[in-house]
Amino acid sequence: MVVRVVLLGTATGGGFPQWNCACPLCHAARDGELPCRSQECVAVSGNSRDWWLLNASPDIRTQLAAAAPLRPGPGPRDTPVRGVLLTDAEADHVTGLGVLRGAAELKVYAAPPVLEALAPLRAALDRYAVWHWADALTEGGFVLSGGLVVTAHPVGDRMPGCPRGTRGSAPWAIAYRVEDLATGGVLVYAPRVGVRSPSLDELLLTADCALLDGTFYAAEEMGTAVPAAGGQPGVTGEHGSLVALARHPGQGRIHSPPGGTDPLRAPVPTARRPVIVAGAGAGAEVLPDGAEFSV
């Protein structure tokens, strides 16, 4: 088998169009000119029977209902979902845990500060069914049912809900490296990246496919052009992810999730030209909700 991947949702927090955004792209989505997108969430499996969620979006109920491989059965309360791997404690990544309540024996992995922050939610969910909560940063990684081995890697220290530039003293955001034990196929999943770093670049070197943060098209959208100043790096620019991806020409890369104002969504060639020109050689692309592929 290989690492099988389903992109359940491909938009940043709030989905696309965002409920409170009147930008031209969100207007176009409301008018049916652009496809709507649900909030970012991914499912992976090594055997097409045991599925693991990478984050749990607020849209998880409709996302699971739309994904044929993740439908319940064969028993009336059976589910192929075995657990969740959280990259951080952002609301758009953890709210869906409440929808999954009642499913027995789910296992949730997260960094220690995220587990601590979720303590009240954990206590509430455990009253519905016993779940297993585990440190994703455990030395040597961990093995998931279905033949996948996972290691977690810190990629940011900004606490959720805090102003940009606010830093914590612990790894609040992590990336996952998911490898199929049988084939050696490797997926790197990093939907939230604080600052591009040599360690992330080294991680990408080991990947056959990377799902990378595409929230901001340019760092200027966050009020800073320099990621080191505390801002989230953009897709374009000197410090952008397209430059980082170009260093690894043998991979497939997908920007996920694009933000609501990101021209990556737009069908207009002039708006997309910087990505087409810079990204074509690197193989970068943006896929829709429901897209499936194997690594």
Side-chain angles (χ1 to χ4, degrees):
M1 299 297 294
V2 295
V3 183
R4 189 176 174 188
V5 184
V6 180
L7 303 184
L8 299 175
T10 58
T12 190
F16 179 72
Q18 292 190 341
W19 71 274
N20 60 344
C21 183
C23 75
L25 292 180
C26 285
H27 270 311
R30 292 188 184 96
D31 292 338
E33 298 170 7
L34 289 177
C36 296
R37 295 172 181 265
S38 61
Q39 295 172 86
E40 176 267 326
C41 185
V42 175
V44 296
S45 177
N47 61 3
S48 296
R49 296 187 305 274
D50 300 291
W51 286 90
W52 295 84
L53 303 179
L54 304 178
N55 290 325
S57 87
D59 302 317
I60 192 64
R61 188 195 69 80
T62 53
Q63 291 170 341
L64 292 176
L70 283 85
R71 290 177 180 171
R77 302 295 288 181
D78 291 340
T79 174
V81 176
R82 303 292 178 242
V84 183
L85 282 62
L86 298 174
T87 58
D88 49 53
E90 297 291 346
D92 48 310
H93 287 163
V94 304
T95 306
L97 292 174
V99 178
L100 302 176
R101 67 188 183 281
E105 302 297 322
L106 290 189
K107 191 159 190 176
V108 182
Y109 291 90
V114 174
L115 291 173
E116 183 177 353
L118 294 179
L121 177 62
R122 291 169 54 187
L125 292 173
D126 284 343
R127 287 199 290 269
Y128 290 91
V130 175
W131 285 8
H132 304 283
W133 303 82
D135 180 2
L137 289 170
T138 183
E139 186 175 356
F142 49 94
V143 178
L144 303 177
S145 60
L148 300 177
V149 61
V150 179
T151 53
H153 305 264
V155 292
D157 54 8
R158 184 167 68 91
M159 295 177 285
C162 291
R164 291 186 289 273
T166 301
R167 295 182 176 277
S169 58
W172 280 91
I174 58 179
Y176 287 106
R177 182 184 185 275
V178 182
E179 180 178 359
D180 179 68
L181 290 173
T183 66
V186 174
L187 169 74
V188 168
Y189 176 70
R192 289 288 188 274
V193 176
V195 177
R196 305 285 175 203
S197 64
S199 60
L200 177 61
D201 199 54
E202 291 174 6
L203 182 62
L204 291 173
L205 277 172
T206 72
D208 297 297
C209 180
L211 292 171
L212 271 187
D213 190 340
T215 305
F216 295 96
Y217 187 68
E220 288 83 352
E221 291 182 60
M222 294 192 70
T224 174
V226 183
Q232 202 166 324
V235 173
T236 58
E238 177 185 355
H239 302 280
S241 56
L242 284 177
V243 173
L245 293 173
R247 303 188 190 110
H248 316 294
Q251 300 171 352
R253 301 99 173 168
I254 298 153
H255 281 290
S256 176
T261 59
D262 194 330
L264 288 172
R265 302 179 185 283
V268 182
T270 53
R272 291 191 53 157
R273 187 165 294 139
V275 176
I276 291 174
V277 173
E285 57 185 324
V286 178
L287 296 179
D289 285 15
E292 296 186 35
F293 59 91
S294 298
V295 179

